[in-house]
């Protein structure tokens, strides 16, 4: 299976703390993307990192990619209650235009 | 770039009925996709549509499913004879660029009873 796995499945933290989510995948990729989903709502694109990039930042988000380990991490710094959502990684594999989504991490940030 | 809007937001249908899910408006992008998410599960790829043709489809996308771009701005997913297991959230998406990822619609929650 090409599908990615994420850990942890669920994460609960206090406001102001950092949240780290991890994603692993199976085969070579073009890029890896992170999405956010509020309960019962649509998917919002957060950040894309290409296979030749190792780290990328966007505001309070930091994404790393280790192609040798076939893994990525998403770090949310100084978390807020509004960051409460599910976070999914999605990989764009070579020779295909579809995204393969991971299992997701449910993040709960307590005020 | 305009948002991707899906209609209806929620549809309840009887098993065996046909449903059409719509994705509007569509700008001048070439790549469109349908994904679905069964409640509590991961997002699954259904089909990709490039230059008015299906470019790739998953095992889920069997003969009961079809996609069309009936005019320049609408993109539809039709399920001919719905089953209970078709109950899910269906998302359409466009690829803005390889650099910037996808824009997903707000989704249609399909409930088959």
């Amino acid at each position: 299976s090409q599908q990615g796995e994420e850990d942890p499945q669920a994460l609960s933290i206090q406001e102001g703390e950092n949240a780290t989510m991890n994603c692993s995948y199976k085969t070579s990729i073009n890029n890896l993307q992170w999405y956010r989903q509020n309960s019962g709502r649509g998917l919002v694109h957060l950040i894309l990192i290409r296979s030749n990039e190792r780290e990328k930042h966007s505001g309070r988000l930091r994404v790393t990619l280790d192609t040798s380990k076939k893994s990525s991490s998403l770090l949310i710094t100084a978390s807020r209650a509004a960051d409460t959502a599910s976070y999914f990684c999605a990989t764009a594999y070579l020779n295909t235009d579809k995204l393969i989504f991971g299992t997701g991490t449910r993040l709960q940030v307590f005020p | 770039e305009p948002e991707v809007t899906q209609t209806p937001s929620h549809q309840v249908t009887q098993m065996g009925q046909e449903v059409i899910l719509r994705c509007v408006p569509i700008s001048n992008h070439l790549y469109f996709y349908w994904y679905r998410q069964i409640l509590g599960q991961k997002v699954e790829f259904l089909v990709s549509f490039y230059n008015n043709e299906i470019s790739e489809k998953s095992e889920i996308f069997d003969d009961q499913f079809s996609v069309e771009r009936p005019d320049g701005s609408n993109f539809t997913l039709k399920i001919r004879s719905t089953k209970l297991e078709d109950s899910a959230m269906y998302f359409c998406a466009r690829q803005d660029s390889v650099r910037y990822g996808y824009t997903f619609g707000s989704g249609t929650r399909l409930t088959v009873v």
Side-chain angles (χ1 to χ4, degrees):
Chain A
S1 168
Q2 294 178 320
Q3 293 173 329
E5 300 296 326
E6 292 178 65
D7 75 272
Q9 288 188 328
L11 180 61
S12 294
I13 58 175
Q14 294 290 131
E15 260 190 333
E17 294 181 337
N18 295 341
T20 300
M21 289 159 264
N22 303 295
C23 168
S24 62
Y25 57 93
K26 299 285 179 67
T27 60
S28 298
I29 60 172
N30 277 321
N31 63 70
L32 185 144
Q33 305 174 31
W34 284 89
Y35 289 84
R36 167 195 166 121
Q37 184 181 38
N38 284 50
S39 179
R41 306 290 293 276
L43 295 153
V44 176
H45 179 258
L46 295 176
I47 197 165
L48 180 154
I49 186 165
R50 289 177 286 183
S51 59
N52 62 350
E53 297 176 311
R54 292 296 166 258
E55 189 171 310
K56 207 158 183 184
H57 297 255
S58 176
R60 294 183 295 114
L61 305 181
R62 173 178 168 253
V63 168
T64 61
L65 179 65
D66 187 334
T67 52
S68 67
K69 295 181 180 176
K70 293 186 171 56
S71 67
S72 174
S73 68
L74 170 68
L75 168 67
I76 304 174
T77 60
S79 63
R80 305 166 183 165
D83 294 329
T84 295
S86 290
Y87 291 82
F88 294 90
C89 70
T91 43
Y93 288 97
L94 300 179
N95 303 317
T96 177
D97 57 358
K98 66 186 180 189
L99 288 180
I100 303 295
F101 280 81
T103 49
T105 295
R106 290 187 309 279
L107 174 66
Q108 174 83 48
V109 182
F110 292 100
Chain B
E1 288 281 12
E3 296 294 322
V4 177
T5 303
Q6 291 184 241
T7 58
S9 57
H10 190 189
Q11 180 153 1
V12 181
T13 188
Q14 295 254 329
M15 191 169 57
Q17 295 294 305
E18 174 183 285
V19 295
I20 297 176
L21 310 182
R22 291 185 169 80
C23 188
V24 291
I26 298 293
S27 54
N28 294 326
H29 292 81
L30 293 176
Y31 290 91
F32 304 102
Y33 307 84
W34 284 100
Y35 288 79
R36 79 170 187 190
Q37 184 181 34
I38 295 171
L39 186 63
Q41 297 186 26
K42 63 170 68 177
V43 179
E44 301 173 291
F45 168 79
L46 291 178
V47 65
S48 57
F49 197 73
Y50 169 68
N51 204 21
N52 295 326
E53 289 184 355
I54 290 175
S55 62
E56 192 170 354
K57 58 184 180 180
S58 71
E59 292 174 354
I60 303 167
F61 195 88
D62 60 23
D63 292 342
Q64 294 298 312
F65 290 86
S66 62
V67 289
E68 282 188 355
R69 194 175 179 184
D71 57 44
S73 62
N74 291 278
F75 181 45
T76 64
L77 174 70
K78 182 191 293 186
I79 309 174
R80 289 191 183 83
S81 178
T82 50
K83 309 186 215 30
L84 294 177
E85 54 264 37
D86 293 328
S87 294
M89 195 78 158
Y90 288 80
F91 296 102
C92 75
R94 66 165 193 256
Q95 186 175 23
D96 293 315
S97 74
V98 174
R99 185 178 177 83
Y100 296 112
Y102 291 57
T103 296
F104 279 81
S106 49
T108 292
R109 182 171 299 284
L110 176 66
T111 303
V112 182
V113 296

